[in-house]
Amino acid sequence: SVLEGQPVQESSFEVQGDTQGSMGGPARGRARPPNAGSLLTGWRVILQGEFGVPPKEDLATLVQVAGGKVLAKWDICEGKKNHHDMKNLICLVNQAPLHGDENTVERTLSIAASSKKYISHQWLLDSASACELKALDNYVVLV
C-alpha cells in the first residue's frame, strides 16, 4: 500500500469470477509465462453472420488483442486443406452450442472433425474470461 511504501498482494483485489461461472482468469493471466504468447497466438478466426451483444466488431477486436488473426471468409483458406493449416482455424457464429443426446453430439463432432469447424462465439468469450482456451467440443454448432 502507499501508506506502507510497498506493493500489496494483487490477488486480494482482483476479480475472482464472472457471471458465466469462470473462475481465476485474472490470476491465470498474471501467472502466464511471458514466452507463452497470447491466448490466441496461431489461431485464425472467421466471424460469420450477424452478432448482437457483443457486436462483431468487438469480437474481432478481442480476437486480435488476444493474438489471433481475423479472416474475412473460408475461401481465403481454400487450397490449404492439409491438417496443419486447418488445425487452428475456426468459424465463430452467433448460435448456442449444441446440447443433446450422445448420438446427436457424436454425429455433430464427426461433422466438426471436417476441415471447417463452426463454433459458438461463446467459446471466445469464455476462453478470454478464463484466460485459457476452452475445449472446442463443448461449443460445436450445426450450421
Side-chain angles (χ1 to χ4, degrees), residues 18 25 30 32 37 43 68-69 78 104 114 127:
D18 65 19
R30 194 176 60 254
R32 192 174 180 88
W43 284 83
K69 182 176 181 181
E78 296 301 317
T104 304
S114 73
S127 294

Side-chain angles (χ1 to χ4, degrees), residues 98-111 142:
L98 176 75
H99 296 288
D101 63 36
E102 191 173 308
N103 290 335
T104 304
V105 173
E106 198 171 294
R107 187 172 62 250
T108 303
L109 291 178
S110 71
I111 293 168
L142 288 175

